[in-house]
């Protein structure tokens, strides 16, 4: 059961801008979630398994999850959960446009290699609780510069969570792989980041790394719980979403820049991986506005 949410609505289109609510069971997240806004979900009590994109991860109490727009996720709990959620549209606060300020893109959000969660240490609970209380208070008593204050609190929340995740990333990966990450996977990350616009096939990266494609696929699955094809596709989709949100480029132009000469093939690829068309993504998440 969720408490009555505190919600801000965009007066221009009537869509969600910012929302914060507490929950005392899994009713809000026990079915597939796929929203056109960011979600921060702090599980304070309880444990279970979260399904996100193509993988599953176990979680325990005091786990903070971060999901990007249209990223699918679902919680299966082993015991009842309770916590608090923050949801905000990119037009309220765009992490891409404020990357230098909060540095959460690629750490909390849009990280195809690490689990989408951060452990909240006992020493950080009071900080997060204080920020959430400030947000709730501001939502409950709207006044001059409400947007500016809410964004300020949200920035601090994101920066604090990003610092935690950065500290925990090596441990987070080891926790789910059972061993240290081989050096070849660091090289693979760099190779995908450098070549994802031109090299789309697993064989391309196996050849680049001079390793058998089946061996690379096996290592990737063990350490990232995803196939090599899924990693490449997710990186392309992240870039496509960024271009659709931040620019007014034609979809054909975005497709070409990502290595697809056929706009319709690219659109089918995007929909197969994001469950929506590029045009619908642009219409619902929107061409970014400077805020």
């Amino acid at each position: 059961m969720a408490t009555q949410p505190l919600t801000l609505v965009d007066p221009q289109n009537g869509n969600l801008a910012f929302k914060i609510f507490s929950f005392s069971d899994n009713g809000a997240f026990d079915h597939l979630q796929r929203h056109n806004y960011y979600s921060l979900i702090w599980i304070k009590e309880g444990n279970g398994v979260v399904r996100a994109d193509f993988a599953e991860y176990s979680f325990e109490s005091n786990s903070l999850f971060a999901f990007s727009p249209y990223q699918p996720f679902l919680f299966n709990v082993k015991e009842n959960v309770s916590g608090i959620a923050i949801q905000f549209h990119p037009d309220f606060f765009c992490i891409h446009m404020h990357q230098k300020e909060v540095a959460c893109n690629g750490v909390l959000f849009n990280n195809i290699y690490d689990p989408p969660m951060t452990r909240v240490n006992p020493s950080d609970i009071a900080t997060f609780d204080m920020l959430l209380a400030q947000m709730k208070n501001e939502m409950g008593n709207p006044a001059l510069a409400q947007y500016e204050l809410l964004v300020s609190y949200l920035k601090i929340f994101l920066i604090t969570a990003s610092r935690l995740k950065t500290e925990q990333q090596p441990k987070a990966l080891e926790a789910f792989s059972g061993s240290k990450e081989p050096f070849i996977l660091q090289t693979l990350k760099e190779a995908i980041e450098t070549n994802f616009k031109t090299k789309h096939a697993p064989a391309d990266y196996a050849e680049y790394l001079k390793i058998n494609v089946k061996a690379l696929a096996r290592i990737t699955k063990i350490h990232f719980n995803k196939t090599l094809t899924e990693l490449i596709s997710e990186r392309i989709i992240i870039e496509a979403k960024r271009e659709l949100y931040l620019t007014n480029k034609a979809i054909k132009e975005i497709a070409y820049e990502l290595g697809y000469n056929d706009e319709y093939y690219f659109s089918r690829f995007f929909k197969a991986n994001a469950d929506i068309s590029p045009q619908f993504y642009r219409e619902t998440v929107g061409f970014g506005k400077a805020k």
Side-chain angles (χ1 to χ4, degrees):
M1 181 177 66
T3 61
Q4 188 66 29
L6 298 168
T7 306
L8 278 182
V9 174
D10 188 329
Q12 294 183 339
N13 54 30
N15 293 334
L16 171 80
F18 183 88
K19 180 166 71 172
I20 185 169
F21 63 93
S22 299
F23 54 89
S24 56
D25 60 29
N26 194 37
F29 311 114
D30 62 355
H31 52 287
L32 187 65
Q33 309 288 300
R34 194 186 297 273
H35 306 298
N36 66 334
Y37 44 75
Y38 294 98
S39 294
L40 292 163
I41 302 170
W42 180 10
I43 303 289
K44 289 191 168 188
E45 298 290 341
N47 61 75
V49 174
V50 63
R51 293 172 52 197
D53 292 314
F54 305 101
E56 291 188 355
Y57 306 100
S58 298
F59 68 87
E60 297 181 346
S61 297
N62 279 316
S63 295
L64 176 65
F65 295 86
F67 301 108
S68 300
Y70 289 111
Q71 182 178 7
F73 65 92
L74 166 70
F75 285 87
N76 290 320
V77 302
K78 295 179 181 177
E79 64 179 49
N80 210 24
V81 296
S82 62
I84 194 162
I86 302 172
Q87 296 172 327
F88 61 98
H89 193 276
D91 282 346
F92 177 81
F93 183 74
C94 176
I95 65 167
H96 293 295
M97 298 180 74
H98 295 274
Q99 175 64 8
K100 290 183 179 179
E101 298 171 57
V102 297
C104 63
N105 187 37
V107 179
L108 292 180
F109 302 101
N110 297 323
N111 187 330
I112 62 177
Y113 303 106
D114 288 335
M117 63 192 199
T118 307
R119 184 180 66 255
V120 180
N121 299 322
S123 58
D124 300 297
I125 291 175
T127 300
F128 283 129
D129 277 336
M130 180 271 292
L131 290 168
L132 290 165
Q134 296 279 20
M135 292 182 205
K136 287 181 177 180
N137 182 64
E138 193 61 30
M139 291 285 285
N141 300 286
L144 182 67
Q146 181 190 45
Y147 164 80
E148 285 75 11
L149 271 177
L150 281 172
V151 167
S152 295
Y153 296 138
L154 179 61
K155 282 183 182 178
I156 297 170
F157 193 101
L158 292 171
I159 290 168
T160 304
S162 295
R163 287 176 176 176
L164 275 177
K165 183 71 179 287
T166 302
E167 293 169 3
Q168 295 171 15
Q169 271 183 341
K171 295 180 180 178
L173 190 60
E174 289 174 26
F176 292 98
S177 67
S179 60
K180 292 185 178 180
E181 180 180 344
F183 175 76
I184 194 169
L185 292 186
Q186 290 292 339
T187 309
L188 173 63
K189 289 180 183 180
E190 295 169 4
I192 291 176
E193 190 62 32
T194 304
N195 300 290
F196 71 89
K197 294 182 180 180
T198 56
K199 298 183 185 299
H200 299 163
D204 293 331
Y205 294 91
E207 181 180 358
Y208 181 85
L209 297 172
K210 295 180 172 48
I211 183 175
N212 178 275
V213 67
K214 289 185 178 179
L216 181 59
R218 185 169 58 251
I219 295 170
T220 302
K221 186 66 176 178
I222 290 172
H223 287 269
F224 298 135
N225 201 22
K226 297 178 182 181
T227 67
L228 184 50
T229 297
E230 288 166 351
L231 289 179
I232 300 164
S233 297
E234 283 185 56
R235 183 61 187 90
I236 296 168
I237 293 297
I238 286 171
E239 191 69 15
K241 286 180 175 180
R242 182 181 182 278
E243 291 295 308
L244 288 165
Y245 177 74
L246 286 179
T247 77
N248 60 358
K249 293 177 184 176
I251 292 172
K252 182 177 182 179
E253 182 181 357
I254 294 172
Y256 183 77
E257 290 178 354
L258 291 173
Y260 295 90
N261 294 321
D262 186 337
E263 173 188 351
Y264 300 102
Y265 179 86
F266 168 75
S267 293
R268 290 194 298 272
F269 166 79
F270 187 96
K271 188 170 184 178
N273 285 275
D275 274 359
I276 55 171
S277 69
Q279 185 61 38
F280 187 75
Y281 180 84
R282 170 167 274 168
E283 290 171 354
T284 53
V285 173
F287 169 37
K289 300 169 182 64
K291 287 197 173 185

